[in-house]
Amino acid sequence: LVLTVGGEDKKQPLFKNTKVKRGAYINGSILSWDCTVGEWARIEGPTVIAESVKVKDEVRITQAMIMSQKDIAANVEKGAIVM
């Protein structure tokens, strides 16, 4: 886990090699291995993000499931499953 200055994880499970960039906020969520959360992104749960997902800067994900090896560049709303 690499948390940059200003990133906040609210004691969520973040797996090996996951990076949370400046100003990002994560609450009620699980992020798997090798994920990257961009600057000022917001992830709120219950959200599950699988291995090797890249969440771009300023993206909001709320109560969703993101399958592995995805690049998320737009907001993902409640109940969505990204495959």
Side-chain angles (χ1 to χ4, degrees), residues 13-40:
L14 302 173
F15 288 61
K16 185 176 179 181
N17 295 327
T18 291
K19 296 174 185 76
V20 178
K21 294 185 179 178
R22 181 176 61 91
Y25 176 82
I26 302 167
N27 189 16
S29 303
I30 299 171
L31 277 71
S32 190
W33 297 272
D34 301 315
C35 292
T36 301
V37 179
E39 291 185 358
W40 301 104

Side-chain angles (χ1 to χ4, degrees), residues 60-82:
R60 182 172 54 93
I61 301 173
T62 306
Q63 297 180 7
M65 293 182 68
I66 312 294
M67 300 304 156
S68 62
Q69 301 178 359
K70 303 293 178 209
D71 287 343
I72 306 299
N75 293 343
V76 179
E77 298 302 322
K78 183 177 181 179
I81 299 174
V82 178

